[in-house]
Amino acid sequence: MTEFLQQIINGISLGSVYALISIGYTMVYGIIKLINFAHCDIFMVGAYTGYFAITTLRLGFIPALFFSMAVCALLGVVIERVAYKPLRNSAKETLLITTIGVELFLQNIIKTKALAGPNVLNFPEVIPTATFKIGGLQFSNIQLITLGISVIMCAALQFLISKTNTGRAMRATSYDRDAAALMGININRIISVTFAIGSALAATGGIVFGMLYPKLEPIMGVMPGLKAFVAAVLGGIGIVPGAMVGGLSIGLIETLSKVYISSGLSDAIAFIILIIILLVKPTGLFGKRNVKV
Amino acid sequence: MSLLSVKNLTIRFGGLLAVNDFNLEIGEQELYGLIGPNGAGKTTVFNMLTGVYTPTGGSITFDGERIDGIKPYNITAKHIARTFQNIRLFGNLTVLQNVMMGYDYQAKSGLFSSIIRTPKQIKEEEKMHEDAMKLLTIFHMEDLAEEKAKNLPYGQQRRLEIARALAANPKLLLLDEPAAGMNPQETAELTELIRWIRDEFKISILLIEHDMKLVMNVCEKITVLSFGQLLAAGKPEEIRNNPRVIEAYLGKRGA
Amino acid sequence: MKETYKKYIKVVIGLIVAYAVFQILFQTGMINSYYNRIIRQIGIFLISALGLNLILGFTGQFTLGHAAFMSIGAYTSAILTRNFGVPFLLALIAAAFTAAVLAIIIGYPILRLTGDYLAICTLGFGEIVKVFIQNVDYLGGARGISGIENKSGFTVIFVLAALCFAIIMNLIHHSSKGRAILSVKEDEIAAQAMGINTTKYKIIAFAIGCGMAGLAGGLFAHFSQFIDPKSFDFSKSFELMTYVVLGGMGSLSGTVIGTSILIALPEWLRGLSDVVKEYRMLIYAIMLVSMMLFRPQGIMGTKEITVAGLKNFFGKIKRIFRSSSTSVNKGKEA
Amino acid sequence: MLRVENIDVYYGMIHAIRGLSLEVNEGEIVTLIGANGAGKTSTLRAISGLNPIKNGEIFYENAKVDSLDAHKLVGKGVSQVPEGRRIFGDQTVEENLLLGAYLRKDKTEAKKTMEEVFKRFPRILERRKQMAGTLSGGEQQMLAIGRALMAKPKLLLLDEPSMGLAPIIVEEIFDIIKEIREQGTTILLVEQNANLALQLADRGYVLETGSIVLSGNANDLLNNEAVQKAYLG
Amino acid sequence: SSSKSSSDGGKEESAEIVIGGVFPLTGDIPGIGSAMENGAKLAVADINAAGGVLGKTLKLISEDDQNQASVAPNAISKLIDQDKVAGVVGTYASSCSIPMATIAKERGIPMISIASTNEKVTQEGGGYVFRACFIDPLQGKVGAQFALQKLSAAKAAMLYDKSQDYCVGIADKFKTNFNEGGGEVVFDETYNRGDSDFKALLTKIAGLNVDVLYLPDNYSTVGLIAKQARELGITCAILGSDSWSDPGLVTVGGSAVEGCYFTDHVSFETDNPKVKEFAEKYKSQFGSEPSGFSVLSYEAVLLMANAIEKAGSTDSSAIVDALKATDMEGLASNYKFDSDNNPIKSVVINQVKDGKFVFAEEIQPE
Ligand SMILES: Nc1ncnc2c1ncn2[C@@H]1O[C@H](COP(=O)(O)OP(=O)(O)OP(=O)(O)O)[C@@H](O)[C@H]1O
Ligand SMILES: Nc1ncnc2c1ncn2[C@@H]1O[C@H](COP(=O)(O)OP(=O)(O)OP(=O)(O)O)[C@@H](O)[C@H]1O
Ligand SMILES: [Mg+2]
Ligand SMILES: [Mg+2]
């Protein structure tokens, strides 16, 4: 029983990492209908930036976090302006390929000698790990911080999107750009803001990830990114609370199936569950379907 | 016997009762109008007739057969065709291809003969091509055959949609606001076209329209729908003078 | 009808000429084994990409699991030839067939999904296939299968690629079934209103496309002589999609061009200076993005290379250079 | 107030607007009528900055505005009800209205305007929390007008507001247009329904294949034989 | 169609002898790729400094295989058909070396795999393919022996990447040998490529009280696993394989890998002056620590050069014959090939001490 509860804690901890990445994913998707595969590489850049902020610039945790968020926000905006904006009216497959191109670019540029080099780096221990034990159950302060950050980010983002003027403008831009412009919305700015926020979130994810799993390498974003993408879809793409729930679910499913069903098949099990859920709810757990003929 | 018989048709969207206990009878080769205020549920009725929505209650009988609840593509095979309120052409296909789409479900050639192109398949394809061109000629659109549908002006798109629906060989044609966005001159032409279609193809037409001139000119019978409910039914003159219709829909000047 | 057949004869003659030219170049050593290898690789992935174009470009179904069907074909044919001594061509047919059947089985439930939801399901299917192979010892697990016979020569690849090209061309551009498939991409609701069972056509296109992937997988197994599950993961599916999108979704000749460029490009970059070599994948990424920015609709858009189009093109070049140029018929028709 | 001089608009190779000029004075209702594809919508989109113009100039309140981004013009008091309504289908009716007041700083004033809009369109009030995408065509048109009014525009551009509406609503909408003008908003009205439009307007322009072929006093146009034949049926 | 070696005729005139190198320079393990390439470069430099091969300068052309099975054959094909190399060294992953081996066989060009431990590599090479490293069965066996005898382990747990041929191969051999040797593998579970969180399975292991935890995977992943294991209170010995052999192990694993053992090809903390000199040169030239793979790569080039010298020409069958007859002193070990073209050489066991890989044991194959 204790072990089961411990596994639940493990699952939630893993899931909150997925959720954190997933939230940013889903937000960018929700606003510009773009599966931004480069998101997980901005996540990677976020982790590396955090690394340099802490080791080279000798910043503390919070300043390093903000530094990394700022760098990634800027990076996100630049990527959007250079690589995505000219393709706004193109087929979404075209954009998808471009995001994959950007992804390859980021992965390959980070490992050049001028930047991080090809070797793995170790994310420094900015916050000393403290482990708590309660009745045989064990968890660390970093795990708590991760969960806390993802819940707060999720709530803040959801509030921003659903309740504020900027959020409405984001949704309007996503729905119909010309009509949004006729409302006086500066759509280029809104899209930039969206990317800035999404990328800053990715940076947060990167740093938290680095603290939990202190290993930095150029492809570090790929697998968590894929899982986060799955989480976003599971929750209903574009829906922030959905991404949160999706992330936690994937974390739990992965952990429990690994331990109690088969470690070799756990990824397959996670996907099978995803497919089944989508067959029952074709637009994800929280997705809505609007067909008007 | 009537061609289409709708009894107690009802549909609910969550809490909203969009159409409630609606009845409609359309005879062979009849020109029938369905009017009513915005949001009354007219398009929703079309969607139920064509299987896009499944009714929550009531029955639809067409040509002596229950058709409620069956798939849209099967309903087409039972010879009901429609146009859409917001034009839904295959924008990236040519005008000709759009019309040929109407014949496609009637094609005999299988997948395999399509891939290897048997003589029979080639002949069938050529025949369809011919028929489609004929239909386009009738609509004075033969010159536009190779144009992409999305590049046509609005009015032409509406006409193309009607042509495409006719290619599907309907006994009942449903037109959802065919005159929307047309000027009086074009509307007058459309009036003629609708009558001509009925006579030439010997089919019934059910028409949703807000242009009263068109409706009153063309339709032999009219049903008025308001808030999902049947408000009145009858000949154009009866409807025009029905005070409830005037109050709910026509307005003082409109009458 | 006569015209149709006349056109076909022309195309066949064009293909034979093209084949002969290649063979001469191989035999005389003007194309060395390395280039021969790259050309065969292009041919194999072209077959898969053509199938993907049918699904993605013509039917508008967003799939990210195409490589998985290649792996199904690859394993089927490898096991058949290696463990059961089945003749190569028969094994290829079995590879295509198995992939197609599996496509129908999984396509039936999941093709009801749309857009990105379909994408993630197909991606998930791909991962499931990969994990499955990893866990089955008979299939070699993660260690893969080696010692597969080298059978995928230029001739068989050339013939099969031409065949797949022709199948899609005939289907899409000259038949009711093809229009039905196209209409699914354009507007499903309108297509249903035209009496088209959209689910059925989605499944048909999916099965044909995945069958081609299976065929390509079978060829790949007997080309690489070694297969492992990693080689067919989702990044390979993305790669295939890149070929299709760069060439132009809905253009078969575009797929030929896209596949050729994107397989040749990283190889070409090998041949350059050491500096280029060091940044090879970085340059590849930049070029990929630039190409998409430069031609968002793909190199060919939805157009095909036609004899008339080529004549026109060469005519223009002629006019520019004002000199007589020998016009080579590439022999692809529209 | 608004002066369009000699503009050209292209869509790729298509020359949609050819040297068009028109003028709208403060307080006027001016109507632009013409057949399908004549270029009415293209003109409005050019004015509001959604379509770039090739040649010519556009002045609004004596300032050159033809190179401004679309959203900037809204800040200067020009609102548009676009053709085909273009409401934000995945937001509620209320949110759509709030978006109409996107640039307004005074939230309490905006609230007031919303009350007025609801008073004018009670149907919309009923559906305040409903997703706009599930409204019927007519309801959506009302919402689109209401949304434009939320910006308290000085100049309102209306693109076929009667399209797809029940006769009684068309009446209502034309009454509203009149009222809006009476409250001091200048209106440029694009219509297929030339009859109604000309009855309402002070002046009118007739557009054919991208150029103005006729213009003048609304009454004169109503009685013009050519106009009657082509546009009044 | 197989063509005969083409490096004759005009080649004799040229002042260079060209060999090819294939390394995973991009892809998921660029760190290992560059460690390998650097080792090969140093070998070429040393050989040329000592007068080259057959009196000519040795030249290395490196190609990238992206650590992908579908790319690697293109890389070797380019080297053979385009650059007309006399022989090829490379690469890291067995899944890349195997399809490369079939091409080497087809074209009749000698190839020395640097670090691919799957037995198949040389089997598919039809006599043309050799390797510089030991093979999986040996490594798994030695690991098991060491655990049983030196660590006195009775219960073992294994945790490895199910998707990596390398991990699966070794784990399998370890299990067989450990069980046969009287121990019991009580936990045999896997994770997937790219996983970073291993707590679920480690929690399970923590409850089993095993004596040794066997982790045959790349150094970077292993560093994370060890860390999480220690956090969960797993204090038993941890044992690994040659893919631990990179300074990155300590970078990531930190104090968690302290005291762990792993099977390796070489130990840098020995009295062997050659190895010491190599490490010095490497550091001064490339600014980073060499790994076991740098040494293997160096030795592979040495083997190839040695064979060409012995063969007296770049004729491929002569080189192959010379390779078969190899008796050469490498950096760390003596090279002789068995009938399967695998080197008969000892396995080193290293231990992590104060962040350094310290020699613990050398086990000779019987
Ligand atoms: N899918 C749906 N979900 C929720 N409500 C819907 C849906 N489809 C239609 N409705 C509602 O049903 C009612 C009837 O809509 P319908 O489109 O049938 O009206 P209509 O009579 O065609 O109006 P108009 O003349 O304006 O087109 C409307 O109030 C609409 O909001
Ligand atoms: N996005 C576009 N791309 C290409 N051509 C276009 C585009 N929009 C409009 N056109 C063309 O420009 C011309 C003018 O179109 P516009 O929409 O301005 O006409 P309109 O007078 O508003 O017609 P309607 O009464 O149908 O609304 C037409 O020939 C139309 O086909
Ligand atoms: Mg309607
Ligand atoms: Mg218009």
Side-chain angles (χ1 to χ4, degrees), chain B residues 151 153-154 181, chain D residues 11 14 16 35-43 83 160 192:
Chain B
N151 291 340
Y154 187 81
Chain D
Y11 295 105
I14 302 167
N36 266 307
K40 307 181 294 294
T41 301
S42 304
T43 308
E83 181 178 50
E160 296 200 45
Q192 292 261 2

Side-chain angles (χ1 to χ4, degrees), chain B residues 111 115, chain C residues 51 54 100 167-168 171 203-213:
Chain B
L111 186 64
I115 287 175
Chain C
L54 177 63
I167 287 176
I168 301 181
L171 183 66
I203 292 174
I204 288 178
F206 194 58
I208 296 178
C210 291
M212 288 179 185

Side-chain angles (χ1 to χ4, degrees), chain C residues 119-141:
Chain C
I120 196 77
C121 270
T122 47
L123 190 151
F125 173 75
E127 289 298 288
I128 292 168
V129 169
K130 191 182 87 183
V131 171
F132 175 80
I133 296 173
Q134 276 167 7
N135 280 279
V136 176
D137 289 337
Y138 183 70
L139 300 176

